[in-house]
């Protein structure tokens, strides 16, 4: 953006220094208050109407150049805005993906932890002899479902 503004200022300052304009099929060059035709100073020999016509033509030319530069600047600003928007969307997408991965990892860790706790508890109860055949079947079913859950969360991690 800095370079764009610098280019605008530079081109504007160059445009102010010497302006060439064509009026009444003659080419004139204006430097400051002086008007030149084919390298000769004709400021004093021109009529007031011609001087005004030349000045008006120069103003019109400057306005046209400024309008053109403004249009270029607007296009450049839109282009930059579009790039920034694309980068923002890309960043948001990456954040969402990261959040999904973190959630999947947390779910996997939780499921694995629950499975390990259930297996330890079943082992303790079995060692103490506090498991009946009906309780053992219930524990087998519970551990089986926990193992399935671990597998599902493991698939979501990938």
């Amino acid at each position: 953006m800095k370079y764009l503004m610098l280019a605008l200022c530079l081109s504007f300052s160059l445009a102010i220094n010497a302006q060439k304009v064509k009026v009444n099929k003659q080419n004139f060059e204006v430097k400051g208050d002086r008007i030149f035709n084919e390298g000769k100073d004709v400021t004093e020999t021109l009529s007031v109407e011609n001087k005004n016509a030349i000045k008006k033509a120069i103003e019109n030319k400057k306005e046209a150049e400024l309008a053109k530069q403004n249009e270029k600047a607007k296009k450049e600003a839109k282009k930059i805005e579009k790039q920034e928007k694309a980068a923002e969307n890309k960043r948001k997408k990456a954040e969402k993906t990261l959040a999904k991965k973190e959630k999947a990892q947390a779910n996997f860790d939780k499921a694995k932890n629950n499975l390990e706790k259930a297996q330890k508890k079943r082992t303790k109860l079995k060692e103490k002899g506090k498991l009946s055949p009906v309780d053992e079947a219930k524990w087998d079913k519970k551990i089986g479902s926990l193992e399935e859950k671990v597998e599902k969360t493991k698939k979501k991690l990938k």
Side-chain angles (χ1 to χ4, degrees), residues 25 47 58 63 84 89 98 101 138 151:
K25 298 180 182 178
S47 67
I58 288 175
E63 288 175 7
E84 288 173 351
N89 289 340
L98 180 62
K101 284 183 180 181
K138 286 181 184 177
E151 287 302 313

Side-chain angles (χ1 to χ4, degrees), residues 5-147:
M5 295 306 282
L6 181 64
L8 285 173
C9 291
L10 183 62
S11 62
F12 184 69
S13 66
L14 289 175
I16 291 175
N17 288 341
Q19 286 288 326
K20 294 181 180 179
V21 68
K22 189 171 188 173
V23 177
N24 299 332
K25 298 180 182 178
Q26 289 184 328
N27 291 322
F28 293 98
E29 186 175 349
V30 178
K31 292 182 183 178
D33 292 340
R34 311 305 292 165
I35 301 172
F36 296 89
N37 185 6
E38 298 175 8
K40 297 176 186 172
D41 187 359
V42 293
T43 309
E44 304 302 323
T45 60
L46 290 174
S47 67
V48 174
E49 289 119 11
N50 282 344
K51 286 180 186 178
N52 288 338
I54 292 170
K55 288 180 182 179
K56 185 77 167 176
I58 288 175
E59 286 178 20
N60 290 342
K61 188 174 180 181
K62 284 181 185 178
E63 288 175 7
E65 287 176 7
L66 283 175
K68 196 181 217 182
Q69 290 172 351
N70 284 340
E71 190 63 34
K72 276 186 180 181
K74 285 180 184 177
K75 284 182 182 179
E76 189 67 28
K78 281 184 180 180
K79 184 178 177 184
I80 290 170
E81 187 177 320
K82 195 173 185 181
Q83 289 173 344
E84 288 173 351
K85 201 172 196 179
E88 180 68 19
N89 289 340
K90 193 174 182 180
R91 183 190 60 79
K92 283 182 181 179
K93 188 176 180 180
E95 284 177 357
K96 283 182 181 179
T97 304
L98 180 62
K100 258 187 175 179
K101 284 183 180 181
E102 288 174 349
K103 187 175 181 180
Q105 182 66 46
N107 289 341
F108 174 73
D109 292 342
K110 186 177 177 181
K112 191 174 178 181
N113 190 23
N114 288 341
L115 175 64
E116 289 173 359
K117 282 182 182 178
Q119 287 173 337
K120 284 181 185 177
K121 190 169 185 179
R122 179 179 181 248
T123 306
K124 279 185 182 179
L125 290 172
K126 192 172 187 179
E127 286 175 357
K128 290 182 180 179
K130 294 185 177 182
L131 277 182
S132 67
V134 175
D135 288 340
E136 198 168 320
K138 286 181 184 177
W139 276 103
D140 285 341
K141 187 176 178 182
K142 184 177 180 178
I143 289 174
S145 69
L146 289 173
E147 286 174 342

